[in-house]
Amino acid sequence: MKNVLLLLAGLFACMQMAAQTEGKITYKETVKFELDFEGMDESMKSMIPESQSVDKEMLFTASESLYKNKKGEAMEGVDLQSDDGSMHIKIMVDDTEDIRYKNFAKNEKVHQRGMMGKSFVVKDELDKNKWKITNEKVKYLDYECQKAVIENEDDFIVAWFTPQIPVKAGPAGLHGLPGAILMANYNDGEREIKAQKVELYTLDKKAIKIPNDGKKVSEAEYEKIQAEKEKEMEEMYG
């Protein structure tokens, strides 16, 4: 009888662990606008939003994840012009659906993204995020979270992950920690991502689909195209 009870307890523990490696996390992603042009009148300054937020969701399993806008959500562009026509500010947001797929077992990523109205599907190896895990801990959404940091020439990123959800998944381009990432902060608030809700359940087998809407290119090819387009824009608009 004792052996039977131990076996049942073991099976229950395994079922719990299996449930914790699949589900959906809903995030709020906020980007700050830091625009301060010399000579801009105060009325125009007041019209520029300080930040913009969008709700995102991440479906995940132990081996895959899919990060995209929550249905019906999208960031909006900004188009402002001074009364005398001397200044025109335009922040364009491409309407191509931004989707990030990651496969941790195969060490690959697929990022569907737009550039000037054209859709691209960028496929490459997963980024090797060089995390430094600290001993600092907080409780967030009833999960014990631990702090990890990336610091390089371009970015200072602080992330909080929870070992209670033992997957490598994370929002945006973040991943590779021993637990799902629930919060992230880029460059002291330049960009912030915070989980709003965590739902653990077994996903439908077709829930995670690899994005496929656009021209297929590598990361290097996409960056080359982007640099060329930016140069064209500079020459056209200054």
Side-chain angles (χ1 to χ4, degrees), residues 32-80:
K32 281 189 177 179
F33 296 139
E34 295 184 2
L35 302 174
D36 188 12
F37 293 105
E38 189 177 341
M40 184 188 296
D41 61 68
E42 291 302 319
S43 61
M44 195 169 180
K45 279 185 182 180
S46 66
M47 293 170 67
I48 300 174
E50 292 183 357
S51 64
Q52 196 171 116
S53 298
V54 64
D55 290 334
K56 300 261 189 174
E57 61 183 29
M58 181 178 74
L59 301 174
F60 66 91
T61 67
S63 60
E64 296 177 290
S65 72
L66 189 73
Y67 185 69
K68 60 182 181 177
N69 283 6
K70 192 175 178 182
K71 191 173 181 179
E73 292 285 323
M75 282 196 175
E76 298 177 357
V78 174
D79 194 350
L80 301 172

Side-chain angles (χ1 to χ4, degrees), residues 70-101:
K70 192 175 178 182
K71 191 173 181 179
E73 292 285 323
M75 282 196 175
E76 298 177 357
V78 174
D79 194 350
L80 301 172
Q81 189 166 338
S82 60
D83 293 336
D84 60 5
S86 62
M87 186 169 288
H88 187 193
I89 298 173
K90 191 168 187 177
I91 301 173
M92 293 183 291
V93 178
D94 201 284
D95 59 2
T96 301
E97 189 174 9
D98 190 273
I99 307 173
R100 291 176 182 263
Y101 167 82

Side-chain angles (χ1 to χ4, degrees), residues 199-212:
E199 301 169 81
L200 301 175
Y201 60 92
T202 302
L203 294 178
D204 183 276
K205 290 182 180 180
K206 297 180 180 180
I208 295 180
K209 296 179 181 178
I210 301 174
N212 195 40

Side-chain angles (χ1 to χ4, degrees), residues 171-182:
L174 305 179
H175 55 267
L177 286 166
I181 297 171
L182 298 188

Side-chain angles (χ1 to χ4, degrees), residues 14 141 152 159-160:
C14 289
L141 296 180
N152 54 43
W160 295 88

